[in-house]
Amino acid sequence: MALFEYFPNYIWNLSVAIAMESGAQMGEIIDMCQPIREAAASGADAGTPQFMAQWAAMGDKLIALAQEDEAKGRAFSASNKLERAALYLITAERMQGHGHPGRKDTYARALGAFEKSGKLGALNRERVEIPLGSGTMPALYSRAPGGGRKPVVVYCNGLDSCKELLYWSRLPEALARRGISTLCVDQPGSGEALRLQDLPVDPHSESWAGKAVDWLERQDDVDPARIGMTGISLGGHFAPRAVAYEPRFASGAVWGANHNWAEVQQKRLNREGENPVPHYWAHVMWAFGASDMEDFHAKSADMNLNGHMDRITVPFLVTHGAKDRQISLSYADDLYDQLINSPRREKVIFTDREGGVEHVGADNMAYGRDTIADWFAETLGGHSA
């Protein structure tokens, strides 16, 4: 397998791989992981407090080093350190069970470091709030350069990601280079929407994706006729569902074809496939606002795209890793085969030849990033050269 596998369990290795693809420094990864290597041998759940302690300590050290840079007037250097601090703190928080001691404070420090990094580094992202029927959807808006109205892509989370990780995937950077803006959203059930507002997952993603389109249509730098949508991991359910039921989307794509996630839960009960985070069942019940397993399965029953994809009448791209250990490759075939009314449908399976074979390219995000960015350049009127 192409995944960097330092620990004896998949979930810990996945977190490390995501961090590496999101801008971590290898020396810092080693310093954080060496002291907890033995703790991982007890299973994905057991050693997570030690994991958080090491990763949060590195985040706090980088915050202190950034303060020294800032005092010397070295804002860009401070921003770089704060960016990694936020990444390590988010990774530490993501590995903990709901209600774990220190989780809320760690998340708050991560958000603070991320916000300050953006300001000091003059980075291409603006934090915005999208009004929902109840609460708001926090988001990061990255603008394409130049004047006039630009195409834009709404980019949504999976089960356990957040808008900061979406930004760090560098898809917004790749899209901006192609003349396309990006709106990275913490939709209900993820990121700030879940952690700070207790907004649970809504399987009918058109309800909140439509609110994102409403907001974009009010921006004077957006071409409302050229709005696309994509999602990563469980976003492979949310994006196709939204494009199917929100007619204002002009193009769509998935980074991982999560075609029948309700069925995946039955497989996970039978220990088929890998989980994405420790304390998995507690996490999904929290994300869906469920009181117990029966309630969770009831609330996630509509996480199934069968019978809906014939509603998509715009170009749509399906991507998937050939060796995805979480979501079956067969779901990419299901999604593609059901796009019978799309005027342009494509399926790209990432293999050992290029990389990106693991779940949403955790081993190598470069190919997924470029493929999706080029797709939107071609279907929304951007440019690839």
Side-chain angles (χ1 to χ4, degrees), residues 285-360:
M285 285 190 278
W286 174 40
F288 278 79
S291 57
D292 53 32
M293 286 290 286
E294 182 179 359
D295 189 31
F296 161 65
H297 288 299
K299 288 180 174 178
S300 61
D302 283 349
M303 301 292 290
N304 179 357
L305 296 176
N306 287 315
H308 300 284
M309 294 298 93
D310 61 341
R311 297 178 61 96
I312 292 180
T313 58
V314 299
F316 205 94
L317 169 69
V318 180
T319 75
H320 207 88
K323 296 180 179 178
D324 191 322
R325 288 184 252 182
Q326 292 185 45
I327 304 298
S328 171
L329 177 60
S330 66
Y331 287 140
D333 298 329
D334 292 340
L335 177 54
Y336 177 81
D337 291 344
Q338 292 176 29
L339 293 169
I340 57 175
N341 292 317
S342 170
R344 176 182 173 181
R345 57 177 174 167
E346 291 189 18
K347 179 173 62 177
V348 176
I349 306 302
F350 300 112
T351 69
D352 286 331
R353 178 172 179 264
E354 63 276 350
V357 301
E358 292 281 353
H359 184 63
V360 298

Side-chain angles (χ1 to χ4, degrees), residues 6 55 78 136 197-198 208 232 256 299 316 326 349 355 365-366:
Y6 183 82
W55 285 62
T136 64
Q197 300 184 57
D198 294 320
W208 48 261
I232 196 164
K299 288 180 174 178
F316 205 94
Q326 292 185 45
I349 306 302
M365 298 187 84

Side-chain angles (χ1 to χ4, degrees), residues 115-134:
E115 180 180 8
K116 189 169 185 179
S117 172
K119 292 177 180 177
L120 290 176
L123 301 179
N124 181 19
R125 63 188 188 218
E126 176 189 356
R127 187 184 185 282
V128 300
E129 298 257 354
I130 313 297
L132 299 175
S134 175

Side-chain angles (χ1 to χ4, degrees), residues 152-354:
V152 62
V153 172
V154 178
Y155 185 16
C156 73
N157 286 312
L159 174 69
D160 51 275
S161 57
C162 57
K163 63 187 181 304
E164 292 80 15
L165 286 169
L166 298 182
Y167 176 83
W168 287 323
S169 74
R170 292 174 54 204
L171 180 59
E173 177 185 334
L175 287 168
R177 189 178 187 186
R178 291 161 173 81
I180 302 171
S181 301
T182 308
L183 186 71
C184 300
V185 300
D186 271 346
Q187 77 269 10
S190 69
E192 287 187 58
L194 175 64
R195 286 159 174 79
L196 303 184
Q197 300 184 57
D198 294 320
L199 297 180
V201 170
D202 182 353
H204 307 131
S205 52
E206 65 274 13
S207 62
W208 48 261
K211 298 297 186 183
V213 176
D214 291 344
W215 185 87
L216 287 168
E217 287 184 333
R218 295 193 295 269
Q219 308 309 306
D220 58 12
D221 61 339
V222 170
D223 181 347
R226 294 189 291 164
I227 300 176
M229 182 161 185
T230 190
I232 196 164
S233 190
L234 192 53
H237 164 88
F238 297 129
R241 168 85 196 200
V243 173
Y245 284 93
E246 173 47 75
R248 291 174 291 176
F249 284 120
S251 180
V254 296
W255 201 339
N258 225 315
H259 190 74
N260 189 346
W261 195 74
E263 182 179 71
V264 171
Q265 304 321 294
Q266 299 303 317
K267 293 180 179 181
R268 285 178 175 164
L269 284 171
N270 294 325
R271 298 182 180 275
E272 297 178 28
E274 296 282 1
N275 292 339
V277 289
H279 318 285
Y280 178 75
W281 295 110
H283 181 88
V284 295
M285 285 190 278
W286 174 40
F288 278 79
S291 57
D292 53 32
M293 286 290 286
E294 182 179 359
D295 189 31
F296 161 65
H297 288 299
K299 288 180 174 178
S300 61
D302 283 349
M303 301 292 290
N304 179 357
L305 296 176
N306 287 315
H308 300 284
M309 294 298 93
D310 61 341
R311 297 178 61 96
I312 292 180
T313 58
V314 299
F316 205 94
L317 169 69
V318 180
T319 75
H320 207 88
K323 296 180 179 178
D324 191 322
R325 288 184 252 182
Q326 292 185 45
I327 304 298
S328 171
L329 177 60
S330 66
Y331 287 140
D333 298 329
D334 292 340
L335 177 54
Y336 177 81
D337 291 344
Q338 292 176 29
L339 293 169
I340 57 175
N341 292 317
S342 170
R344 176 182 173 181
R345 57 177 174 167
E346 291 189 18
K347 179 173 62 177
V348 176
I349 306 302
F350 300 112
T351 69
D352 286 331
R353 178 172 179 264
E354 63 276 350

